[in-house]
Amino acid sequence: MFQDIKKYDILMVVFLIFVVSVFGYYYVNSLARNLLWLKTYPIRGELSVRQISCSDNSPVWLADILKYQTKNNNALANQIAYIEPNGNLHHCENGYMGQYPVLSDAISEQTRFRYASVTKLWTADAILQLVKDDKLSLDTPLADIVSEIDAPKDARISEITIRQLLAHRAGFDRYSVFGQDMFGIGKDICPNHIEGLNTITLGFEPDSKTSYSNLGYCLLGEVVSRVNNKPYKEVITERYNFPENQLLFVSNAALPDEVFYNYVETGLTGVADIYTQFDYDGLASAAGLSGNAIDLAQQVRKMAKKPAPNITSLDANVVCNSGDVTEECYGYAMLPYQPNSKSATVYYRDGSLLGLSTLVAVDEHGSVVALLSNGTPDTGVDHNLKTKIYEYLNR
């Protein structure tokens, strides 16, 4: 009977075995499946770039930024909003809400993105308002507000000031065992175990250098709460009129109007998504807000127009190189970039989480640019993007 088997039948059986084997391999091997999915990015990116929508009379460079993000920074969905010095608002969007292009709804100007560390602008602005209201000063010791700091092993902790916390110069090294970085490095101190400050040792002498600190901004959130005698989220929600816009604090689950984030696990860390990896209640004052690019630009514009000290103010005692866009040259909320002494200054604040990045820029004339993306660059931070926006704002 074997004589009746044709070559076509043998090839078909071999083909079917091959298909089943490949399917089975990728079905049981999630890491291999994720790597294969990443290889489809150029196709998905091309579909996303073709889905750009802009408001009437928007500058061409807004769409150019979205194309750049999609092609270079793993961001299949983006929003950008631009407010001119005269208050005119422009915006562009591209990409799709869900994981699969074409099969999901297109991004709109109302689509929700997480703001990540750009949230710190609200915390800084609330603190600076307390300063202007004479409820505290930039040199008020944290220990005067946070009573749990009563007998620290490291006496320098009692002397940490509001000014140092704002500028990331309080002595908390995010990469040390006591850094309390949001990725789980260090002790769980803020907001639920603040008495733990009595047991740690600072990573460096306060004011001796800059070291980005989520712990510092969590503590600033506690200051906002205690001076106002209300929970931090309640203070911010009321002060910035959340019912009148789309701003919301996030939790460990996606919101119904939220974009899908382009994060794929390619290692063995076990990190599945941005929702379950972080304690967003604990990070409320450092990385807890969400909204769209228009709301972000409008809120930041209001903050930047306030009397000094405001989110663009710099500490006169801190010397750093504002001509290097890669340097951590923090003011009270944002980082200045001035290529040379004769050029204009633009102030930045950026942020990122797994599968998303945020950036807001304010220039000396009152222009604001807000960019939200559902992906992150391979390098972590794309400093070329900041210089591109600088050039567009100073044409």
Side-chain angles (χ1 to χ4, degrees):
M1 67 177 176
F2 293 105
Q3 294 177 348
D4 295 332
I5 298 177
K6 298 179 180 179
K7 183 182 296 185
Y8 171 81
D9 295 325
I10 296 174
L11 291 175
M12 180 58 69
V13 170
V14 171
F15 174 74
L16 291 174
I17 292 173
F18 173 77
V19 170
V20 170
S21 299
V22 171
F23 178 82
Y25 172 75
Y26 284 107
Y27 179 78
V28 301
N29 190 331
S30 60
L31 180 58
R33 188 168 65 249
N34 289 345
L35 290 171
L36 179 64
W37 177 246
L38 286 179
K39 291 181 180 179
T40 70
Y41 185 86
I43 299 172
R44 292 180 285 136
E46 184 60 33
L47 292 171
S48 177
V49 164
R50 294 183 181 184
Q51 187 64 38
I52 295 181
S53 175
C54 293
S55 57
D56 294 340
N57 303 315
S58 291
V60 174
W61 63 266
L62 295 184
D64 290 341
I65 291 291
L66 299 192
K67 293 175 184 177
Y68 176 86
Q69 281 292 87
T70 302
K71 292 183 176 181
N72 297 279
N73 288 331
N74 303 314
L76 293 166
N78 305 274
Q79 292 176 338
I80 190 168
Y82 168 50
I83 303 177
E84 297 181 90
N86 61 11
N88 288 340
L89 170 68
H90 309 282
H91 61 88
C92 291
E93 305 80 37
N94 80 298
Y96 296 86
M97 285 277 295
Q99 182 177 6
Y100 303 105
V102 181
L103 300 179
S104 62
D105 293 335
I107 291 292
S108 76
E109 69 272 21
Q110 298 300 320
T111 301
R112 181 177 306 279
F113 288 71
R114 300 191 175 208
Y115 286 171
S117 286
V118 170
T119 299
K120 291 180 175 68
L121 293 179
W122 278 261
T123 302
D125 185 69
I127 287 286
L128 294 172
Q129 189 59 54
L130 292 175
V131 171
K132 284 178 277 194
D133 292 342
D134 293 324
K135 294 183 177 179
L136 51 78
S137 77
L138 289 171
D139 295 314
T140 297
L142 174 66
D144 285 3
I145 310 295
V146 178
S147 59
E148 288 92 333
I149 304 174
D150 53 7
K153 178 177 71 174
D154 187 336
R156 297 173 297 179
I157 292 176
S158 293
E159 306 301 322
I160 291 174
T161 65
I162 300 299
R163 184 193 307 271
Q164 293 165 350
L165 291 170
L166 286 171
H168 301 276
R169 297 174 66 84
F172 300 121
D173 184 348
R174 69 186 303 197
Y175 299 112
S176 77
V177 68
F178 300 126
Q180 211 248 353
D181 177 76
M182 65 188 297
F183 289 92
I185 302 172
K187 292 186 176 183
D188 177 16
I189 294 175
C190 186
N192 298 317
H193 303 96
I194 295 182
E195 66 279 357
L197 288 172
N198 292 308
T199 67
I200 70 171
T201 301
L202 293 178
F204 58 90
E205 184 70 24
D207 260 342
S208 65
K209 69 175 185 177
T210 299
S211 181
Y212 188 81
S213 174
N214 288 298
L215 171 56
Y217 266 75
C218 181
L219 293 170
L220 287 172
E222 283 298 299
V223 172
V224 170
S225 172
R226 297 184 188 204
V227 174
N228 287 282
N229 295 311
K230 291 182 180 180
Y232 171 83
K233 290 183 181 180
E234 186 176 331
V235 174
I236 300 301
T237 298
E238 292 177 358
R239 180 164 297 178
Y240 298 94
N241 301 313
F242 281 17
E244 297 180 7
N245 49 56
Q246 200 177 340
L247 296 172
L248 286 175
F249 283 100
V250 297
S251 63
N252 294 78
L255 293 165
D257 58 348
E258 190 172 352
V259 71
F260 177 86
Y261 300 108
N262 186 38
Y263 173 76
V264 176
E265 173 58 30
T266 57
L268 300 176
T269 63
V271 177
D273 55 53
I274 73 162
Y275 312 110
T276 58
Q277 178 65 14
F278 308 112
D279 174 14
Y280 286 106
D281 289 333
L283 285 171
S285 58
L289 279 176
S290 69
N292 57 55
I294 292 175
D295 282 339
L296 174 55
Q298 290 174 333
Q299 292 264 321
V300 169
R301 186 169 187 262
K302 291 177 183 178
M303 295 179 194
K305 291 177 69 176
K306 291 181 179 181
N310 61 33
I311 59 170
T312 64
S313 296
L314 307 175
D315 193 322
N317 296 322
V318 176
V319 178
C320 59
N321 181 13
S322 62
D324 184 354
V325 75
T326 68
E327 184 167 328
E328 290 190 334
C329 186
Y330 285 96
Y332 293 145
M334 306 186 82
L335 297 87
Y337 174 54
Q338 184 184 28
N340 59 68
S341 60
K342 296 182 179 180
S343 59
T345 301
V346 172
Y347 303 87
Y348 294 100
R349 171 71 261 188
D350 57 4
S352 64
L353 289 170
L354 301 175
L356 73 95
S357 55
T358 59
L359 177 65
V360 63
V362 180
D363 73 9
E364 295 174 328
H365 307 292
S367 295
V368 179
V369 177
L371 175 64
L372 303 175
S373 301
N374 79 331
T376 53
D378 291 333
T379 55
V381 179
D382 183 355
H383 295 295
N384 290 329
L385 177 62
K386 296 178 182 178
T387 57
K388 283 180 179 292
I389 290 176
Y390 180 93
E391 291 167 0
Y392 284 129
L393 288 175
N394 289 283
R395 283 181 171 179

